[in-house]
Amino acid sequence: MPTGFETGILIETANQIALSHVADSPVAKVLTNWLIDTGLTSRLSAQGVQYGRTGVTGATWRRVRRALNKAERETGDQQPDLAQNNAMKLALHLDIDDVGRYIFAFSLRTALSPELASLVGKLGADARMPLERLLGCILEYPTGQILEALDHKSSLMQSGLVTLEEAGFPGGYFPAVPGILAHAIRISLGGLPHVLKNLFSEHRGTRLDWTDFEHLGDTADLASRLLAGAVEQKTRGVNILVTGPAGCGKTEFCKTLAEHVDARLYHVPRSGFGFGQITSQERIECLRLDQRVVAREKPALMLFDDIEDLPSAGEAAQAFADQMVMWSQVKMSLNGLLESNPVPTLWTCGDPDIYPQSFLSRFSLVVEMYEPGERARIRMWKKLAGLNELSLDDATCAELARSHPVPPALADNALRVAAMAGGGVREVRLTLRSLGRAMRLDGDNARCAAHDLPTFSLDLINTDVDLQRLTKRLTSGQVSQGVSFCLSGPPGSGKSACARYLAEKMGLPVIQKRASDLLSKWVGSSERNIAAAFEEARRQNAFLIFDEADSFLAPREQAGRSWEVTQVNEMLTWMESHPLPFACTTNLSERMDSAALRRFTFKVEFRPLTPAQLDDAFIRFFEQAPPDDLPQLDNLTPGDLAVVRRRADVLGITDRSELFHELEREMAAKQGKELRIGFRRPGGR
């Protein structure tokens, strides 16, 4: 039921319309039927109503006017309700002129009152009454002033308080107030401050500081200087897009960036405080309104989180025509905002590829969030452990940083879960594993140390290159770091471990990529992944390792598809220009493109252990003297001994003859042979 004030508005609106129109008009017919349907006047009923050619008869129209006059006298002057007071205060706060304020108040009432919305809709659709004439008639302003107030450059329309929506008939428009704004005005008991609080909120404080994002380098520094200049000079149309996968810290970076430039950060809501999810268009209109309000706060920034919640052109094109219209409206609104927003705005997005370049080109700057290097991750773990009041020593934080290269949000969540559960590092790992499986992230990357195996040693590596001499030269500081390695040999011979060893000696963090990290079923994606890997290594000043390189460096002359050629070409281009060391490992170097092989600075062949190395490895892995027959096993690698050591631990095998038998089985399995069944002479010294 309408409130007393709202009933008064309805009757007054109807009376103003009746006074401005004659009986023989479509408006008179629409108004008469509407009054009968709503029952606003007790003296008017369907009985006795007579219709003319286009409107109603004179007698009926006189009855309508008498009924409206009586109803207006009975209603009397009503005190403005909460919504009216809040609407006028908000319009005054935004410096909207008199005409604009009353248009806004009427549009708001239309949004809140089904009866008034019905009347406005019928007057437009059935009576073809233009919006400016309707508003002029009701508000008693000349049509010219109404048109000026509805112009897109007016203070009212620029504020975002009111938009004009198509009314469903040619040339017809309907005054609309965004649903979230109407709801905020209707429920805000605390007046204007409460209205503003419901429309947007301020981000206060951050758990990180600017040094936690130093791995972003010059781009982050440029973003801070750009925002500082835009705030100081009050520059319009400054927008920064922050991209990166879920949990990488986009929102936290925005909060830290605002704090770094000493500005308040306000964010646009996704839902309407009990009002449910708001539409894409309403979110944009809310941003436009927030921009106008926040512009009065200096210095200030806006945050529009997760723009992928808005429809993309691709999604709309695959759907129905009405969604194409929706995307078109969203695009026009966004483009207008990006060109003229008075408050510098930060936008976050997981995947910018879903939007067209014409849209992305309107941003002033793009900041790509990526995984911090190992040193930065160690600092992150230490800081977050302290913030979550979880006691972790430096060695544990360093180990977590190496074995769990997760984004800050996941690390913070795992530490918080462990602290609430009264646990420690075990609970941290369990949480990370569960999230990692769900998010398709790498789990625990801990390697041999987790099995208490011997650490890597060059003494157990058999290659055709003097690795001791090579390591000494690489760490001397007298040679360029732009070297590349093709490390080939049988599985378990130490190729990847050797590359990590070289990186450690050179004081560089490691970025390791498998073939599955690079290869994609989508055309062009493999090339982008290869380029991204080199770019990531360059940003982090890291040693890049590609495992299973033969998977994406196959000979081009044998390629059956064009993309197999382009991914090799992409790799060759980066190999020639990359300024840092990188290594490719392969078990099958003969299956690699010859041009790629020629470009490696070092081609290192890894071989099975020599007899002397095999004796040494047996002592290191099993802590006892080797059997006499051990040199007969001439095709074993350190990885084979590591596998047998783990199997022996599970089965409780300690006898060296049994260990020899297990090693023999391991070598036979590698060569695709079956062991003879029967008795055998155990080896022994």
Side-chain angles (χ1 to χ4, degrees):
M1 288 293 293
T3 64
F5 178 75
E6 192 167 280
T7 299
I9 290 290
L10 293 173
I11 292 173
E12 183 180 353
T13 299
N15 210 5
Q16 288 294 115
I17 294 172
L19 291 172
S20 305
H21 291 83
V22 297
D24 191 23
S25 66
V27 171
K29 182 178 181 180
V30 167
L31 182 61
T32 300
N33 291 336
W34 178 80
L35 287 169
I36 294 171
D37 292 340
T38 57
L40 281 176
T41 59
S42 58
R43 296 185 60 183
L44 187 65
S45 65
Q47 294 180 351
V49 171
Q50 296 178 333
Y51 296 97
R53 186 173 58 86
T54 56
V56 295
T57 63
T60 296
W61 196 231
R62 287 190 292 272
R63 282 182 56 197
V64 168
R65 287 186 172 181
R66 285 196 298 270
L68 285 173
N69 288 332
K70 183 176 184 298
E72 190 166 8
R73 289 194 303 271
E74 291 174 348
T75 304
D77 292 332
Q78 297 285 330
Q79 289 296 319
D81 60 9
L82 178 66
Q84 182 74 5
N85 285 329
N86 285 341
M88 298 306 287
K89 288 176 181 177
L90 178 59
L92 282 169
H93 181 73
L94 296 178
D95 295 328
I96 308 298
D97 58 33
D98 288 345
V99 182
R101 284 201 301 274
Y102 284 104
I103 291 176
F104 169 54
F106 178 79
S107 301
L108 174 68
R109 191 61 55 180
T110 303
L112 297 178
S113 169
E115 293 84 3
L116 186 57
S118 171
L119 175 60
V120 172
K122 289 178 182 298
L123 287 172
D126 297 340
R128 293 295 192 269
M129 189 176 185
L131 177 61
E132 65 273 14
R133 279 185 51 204
L134 171 64
L135 293 175
C137 169
I138 295 170
L139 302 178
E140 299 184 89
Y141 280 105
T143 303
Q145 290 188 33
I146 297 293
L147 287 172
E148 287 181 10
L150 294 177
D151 184 81
H152 71 281
K153 294 182 180 179
S154 70
S155 60
L156 173 65
M157 303 308 292
Q158 286 290 309
S159 71
L161 293 176
V162 173
T163 59
L164 297 181
E165 295 184 358
E166 292 187 10
F169 57 91
Y173 290 92
F174 190 90
V177 173
I180 189 172
L181 172 59
H183 189 62
I185 290 174
R186 184 172 62 84
I187 69 167
S188 297
L189 301 177
L192 180 62
H194 196 195
V195 174
L196 298 179
K197 184 178 179 181
N198 281 331
L199 290 175
F200 58 85
S201 58
E202 180 181 357
H203 278 300
R204 294 183 180 274
T206 173
R207 295 167 69 88
L208 302 176
D209 57 46
W210 191 242
T211 59
D212 292 311
F213 297 98
E214 64 181 12
H215 62 282
L216 299 180
D218 294 339
T219 306
D221 178 65
L222 177 59
S224 69
R225 289 188 283 119
L226 170 63
L227 290 179
V231 168
E232 181 181 355
Q233 300 168 25
K234 301 180 181 179
T235 308
R236 285 179 170 267
V238 174
N239 297 275
I240 295 178
L241 180 64
V242 182
T243 69
C248 69
K250 299 186 291 293
T251 303
E252 205 66 30
F253 170 73
C254 292
K255 293 194 289 187
T256 307
L257 178 58
E259 194 171 89
H260 186 63
V261 300
D262 196 25
R264 292 183 174 183
L265 181 65
Y266 299 92
H267 80 276
V268 180
R270 284 203 194 101
S271 59
F273 33 87
F275 184 62
Q277 193 75 15
I278 63 177
T279 67
S280 302
Q281 190 65 31
E282 283 176 333
R283 256 194 109 190
I284 297 170
E285 296 304 334
C286 196
L287 173 60
R288 177 179 284 109
L289 172 62
D290 292 348
Q291 287 272 347
R292 182 70 182 268
V293 177
V294 171
R296 308 169 74 89
E297 302 285 339
K298 296 295 182 182
L301 304 174
M302 288 296 302
L303 171 62
F304 195 100
D305 235 339
D306 295 325
I307 65 171
E308 58 264 46
D309 288 349
L310 306 178
S312 70
E315 292 170 338
Q318 295 173 11
F320 300 102
D322 59 338
Q323 289 179 293
M324 282 301 297
V325 172
M326 178 177 64
W327 160 246
S328 177
Q329 293 171 343
V330 168
K331 178 183 176 184
M332 290 177 61
S333 299
L334 282 175
N335 288 347
L337 274 174
L338 290 169
E339 293 168 357
S340 61
N341 52 301
V343 179
T345 303
L346 300 167
W347 309 69
T348 70
C349 177
D351 182 13
D353 289 343
I354 66 175
Y355 291 100
Q357 292 184 358
S358 59
F359 169 62
L360 297 175
S361 65
R362 284 176 162 82
F363 287 95
S364 311
L365 183 68
V366 176
V367 178
E368 182 183 359
M369 302 291 294
Y370 48 84
E371 181 184 304
E374 188 173 306
R375 297 185 185 92
R377 292 201 304 273
I378 292 173
R379 288 198 307 271
M380 174 192 74
W381 278 102
K382 288 180 180 178
K383 173 177 287 187
L384 293 176
L387 291 172
N388 286 286
E389 299 182 355
L390 197 66
S391 179
L392 298 180
D393 57 38
D394 290 352
T396 300
C397 289
E399 197 279 326
L400 286 170
R402 284 191 294 271
S403 60
H404 295 282
V406 297
L410 294 189
D412 190 23
N413 178 72
L415 290 164
R416 186 170 61 252
V417 168
M420 286 190 292
V425 67
R426 177 177 176 274
E427 286 69 25
V428 170
R429 289 190 184 281
L430 286 173
T431 305
L432 289 175
R433 288 193 190 106
S434 67
L435 290 170
R437 285 193 295 269
M439 299 178 65
R440 304 294 191 269
L441 299 173
D442 286 339
D444 192 343
N445 292 329
R447 293 177 291 275
C448 292
H451 302 284
D452 198 24
L453 298 178
T455 56
F456 174 82
S457 171
L458 283 181
D459 295 336
L460 298 182
I461 300 297
N462 180 20
T463 67
D464 61 347
V465 173
D466 186 346
L467 292 180
Q468 297 280 7
R469 179 184 179 188
L470 176 60
T471 303
K472 185 176 180 180
R473 287 292 297 167
L474 290 175
T475 57
S476 67
Q478 299 175 0
V479 296
S480 168
Q481 286 192 327
V483 293
S484 56
F485 306 87
C486 178
L487 310 180
S488 63
S493 55
K495 302 181 293 295
S496 297
C498 181
R500 291 193 295 269
Y501 171 82
L502 291 175
E504 181 182 353
K505 291 300 181 183
M506 297 175 73
L508 298 175
V510 171
I511 294 175
Q512 194 161 351
K513 301 290 185 181
R514 297 163 298 190
S516 58
D517 298 323
L518 303 175
L519 299 178
S520 171
K521 64 180 180 179
W522 305 111
V523 175
S525 292
S526 298
E527 292 87 333
R528 284 196 295 270
N529 293 338
I530 291 170
F534 278 102
E535 289 172 352
E536 182 182 356
R538 185 176 296 187
R539 286 192 302 259
Q540 298 188 26
N541 195 42
F543 193 118
L544 180 59
I545 302 174
F546 291 111
D547 284 328
E548 311 160 41
D550 52 281
S551 299
F552 51 89
L553 281 179
R556 285 170 291 179
E557 60 271 15
Q558 299 177 13
R561 301 173 181 85
S562 61
W563 52 263
E564 294 175 319
V565 174
T566 57
Q567 68 188 24
V568 175
N569 291 340
E570 183 72 23
M571 188 76 180
L572 294 178
T573 301
W574 281 99
M575 289 174 69
E576 293 176 343
S577 60
H578 191 57
L580 295 167
F582 75 95
C584 288
T585 72
T586 177
N587 303 332
L588 304 165
S589 61
E590 67 276 7
R591 296 186 183 178
M592 292 178 62
D593 187 85
S594 57
L597 284 173
R598 287 197 303 271
R599 282 170 169 79
F600 287 106
T601 313
F602 295 96
K603 290 171 275 293
V604 184
E605 181 184 352
F606 284 67
R607 301 162 177 167
L609 294 167
T610 65
Q613 288 177 322
L614 190 55
D615 280 351
D616 186 18
F618 192 94
I619 295 171
R620 294 193 190 196
F621 278 87
F622 305 112
E623 300 177 350
Q624 56 181 298
D628 291 337
D629 292 348
L630 190 61
Q632 297 177 12
L633 307 181
D634 57 359
N635 193 26
L636 290 176
T637 66
D640 299 328
L641 275 81
V643 170
V644 171
R645 164 62 189 274
R646 288 193 286 272
R647 190 158 67 234
D649 287 345
V650 173
L651 298 175
I653 298 174
T654 57
D655 182 76
R656 65 178 181 173
S657 63
E658 291 188 68
L659 292 171
F660 177 88
H661 180 58
E662 293 298 326
L663 288 171
E664 190 177 30
R665 290 181 59 193
E666 194 67 27
M667 189 177 78
K670 288 174 53 176
Q671 297 171 339
K673 298 177 181 177
E674 293 291 339
L675 284 180
R676 184 181 70 255
I677 298 175
F679 293 101
R680 58 179 303 281
R681 181 179 67 83
R685 285 279 185 191

